[in-house]
Amino acid sequence: MNKIAVIGAGTMGNGIAHTFAQNGFKVNLIDISEASLKKGIETITKNLDRQVVKELLTDSQKNETLLNIIPLNNLESGVKDVDLVVEAASENLTIKLEIFKNLDTFCKPETILASNTSSISITQIAAATNRAAQVIGMHFMNPVPVMKLVEIISGYSTSKATLEKITSLSQKLGKMPVPVNDYPGFVANRILMPMINEAVETLYNDVAGVAEIDTVMKLGMAHPMGPLQLADFIGLDVCLAILEVMYDGFKNPKYAPCPLLVNMVRAGKLGVKSGEGFYDYSESRKAEIVSAQFS
């Protein structure tokens, strides 16, 4: 697999495109929004610049990486001749089903279709296509160029050959692929999101403040980032969406989102991306956080 298409130029999409391009793959970065594409390329360029400053890359490698990425806003032309598509659109089932239905029509018969979903069933996504054996989950962690883990999720009909190809490909990216089965939240978020939700409940019940909760988890449990700050970094809307998928999938009240989290999302307090969540984030603070992730 030499030619890749990444759908969605947001935080995860541009990180995935960056990672593939840096490892020599030709990447079509696809988004219906010209503004999102422009911002995505700008983000990749800034993150490559940080890697150059830290002497993780040379200027030549940075330029080669950027030349490997072609921004496009037309899905059909962007995926017609690729070997792998990685979908990194909104964590919304309806949107994903529509994308995969179109991909099944537009892509070559042998193309593998992967989703970066953090919680939605790969089996359900695959059902929108006529190539369920070639549909798989590739759940990258944020920031993608730095984090080593990729959860590889096989749906009910995903073939062994597809799993082996994606596992090998992930290793070529310098990642550690970990195979998991297709249940709501998979492994990472099935464990992480209840912890974040419980931290929000602890704040909601006035047991302690934001900084105090995060400090306990950082100093007492050796977490590099407290759960409330991590929720801000992930996006409170994303956290809420994942919890809702698990609550709906398991019908277990332990996955029910805390009312405080629900209200914050309704109020548009989504974390770093909106400038305010459990913490306040100025533009300079955003840059500081991203820079720290690439150190």
Side-chain angles (χ1 to χ4, degrees), residues 85-155:
V85 179
V86 182
E87 171 272 320
S90 171
E91 192 71 354
N92 178 293
L93 177 60
T94 302
I95 292 172
K96 290 187 187 296
L97 292 180
E98 182 64 22
I99 289 172
F100 274 80
K101 180 180 178 181
N102 287 328
L103 289 176
D104 193 42
T105 301
F106 299 150
C107 291
K108 299 181 296 184
E110 63 270 26
T111 300
I112 292 175
L113 309 181
S115 176
N116 182 59
T117 180
S118 53
S119 61
I120 295 172
S121 168
I122 297 301
T123 301
Q124 192 170 8
I125 291 172
T129 76
N130 292 306
R131 61 177 83 193
Q134 294 157 246
V135 178
I136 197 165
M138 291 184 79
H139 180 208
F140 291 87
M141 304 294 123
N142 185 30
V144 181
V146 176
M147 300 295 280
K148 293 294 184 183
L149 174 66
V150 183
E151 276 189 305
I152 308 295
I153 307 104
S154 292

Side-chain angles (χ1 to χ4, degrees), residues 9-211:
T11 300
M12 295 305 296
N14 71 59
I16 294 167
H18 174 157
T19 301
F20 272 105
Q22 188 175 315
N23 284 277
F25 293 87
K26 299 297 182 183
V27 182
N28 290 341
L29 179 58
I30 304 166
D31 199 297
I32 58 173
S33 166
E34 287 283 2
S36 294
L37 280 173
K38 182 180 177 183
K39 185 177 179 182
I41 296 297
E42 287 174 352
T43 299
I44 293 169
T45 304
K46 288 177 183 177
N47 289 336
L48 286 168
D49 285 337
R50 291 189 182 97
Q51 290 176 293
V52 171
V53 169
K54 296 177 185 297
E55 299 184 345
L56 300 172
L57 287 180
T58 64
D59 279 313
S60 176
Q61 288 172 319
K62 168 199 163 183
N63 293 332
E64 288 174 9
T65 298
L66 289 172
L67 287 172
N68 282 336
I69 303 172
I70 300 174
L72 297 166
N73 61 8
N74 183 277
L75 181 65
E76 183 171 3
S77 62
V79 303
K80 65 181 180 181
D81 62 348
V82 301
D83 305 305
L84 168 70
V85 179
V86 182
E87 171 272 320
S90 171
E91 192 71 354
N92 178 293
L93 177 60
T94 302
I95 292 172
K96 290 187 187 296
L97 292 180
E98 182 64 22
I99 289 172
F100 274 80
K101 180 180 178 181
N102 287 328
L103 289 176
D104 193 42
T105 301
F106 299 150
C107 291
K108 299 181 296 184
E110 63 270 26
T111 300
I112 292 175
L113 309 181
S115 176
N116 182 59
T117 180
S118 53
S119 61
I120 295 172
S121 168
I122 297 301
T123 301
Q124 192 170 8
I125 291 172
T129 76
N130 292 306
R131 61 177 83 193
Q134 294 157 246
V135 178
I136 197 165
M138 291 184 79
H139 180 208
F140 291 87
M141 304 294 123
N142 185 30
V144 181
V146 176
M147 300 295 280
K148 293 294 184 183
L149 174 66
V150 183
E151 276 189 305
I152 308 295
I153 307 104
S154 292
Y156 186 83
S157 301
T158 304
S159 71
K160 183 179 179 182
T162 297
L163 173 61
E164 289 174 349
K165 286 179 182 178
I166 295 303
T167 298
S168 176
L169 178 67
S170 300
Q171 291 168 337
K172 290 177 183 176
L173 297 176
K175 303 301 185 186
M176 176 63 73
V178 177
V180 304
N181 291 321
D182 187 23
Y183 292 96
F186 316 131
V187 172
N189 282 315
R190 183 168 179 174
I191 295 169
L192 175 63
M193 286 303 152
M195 183 192 75
I196 287 175
N197 198 44
E198 193 61 31
V200 182
E201 285 279 1
T202 303
L203 178 65
Y204 180 58
N205 292 323
D206 201 26
V207 177
V210 172

